[in-house]
Amino acid sequence: MSDLELYEVVGGGFSFSAAFLNAMSRTINTIMDFGRTIGTSIRMLVSGKRC
């Protein structure tokens, strides 16, 4: 292929796939679980209660 033809090649790119959406869902759930854990820890420290 010539250099001109190589410049005109179009391909690749990003598309939403099931794997990507699943990974994003798991990431959001992990962040939310981490936030709950931190919130519970702070609440337990402030109230002085233990499980």
Side-chain angles (χ1 to χ4, degrees):
M1 292 182 102
S2 68
D3 288 340
L4 182 59
E5 289 173 329
L6 289 174
Y7 283 122
E8 293 180 6
V9 171
V10 177
F14 178 78
S15 64
F16 285 101
S17 64
F20 174 75
L21 294 175
N22 188 25
M24 292 307 297
S25 173
R26 286 178 183 250
T27 301
I28 291 169
N29 285 336
T30 301
I31 291 170
M32 289 179 66
D33 288 341
F34 182 71
R36 280 190 207 104
T37 302
I38 297 297
T40 301
S41 297
I42 292 171
R43 191 177 325 115
M44 290 176 74
L45 285 173
V46 170
S47 68
K49 294 182 180 179
R50 299 281 179 182
C51 292

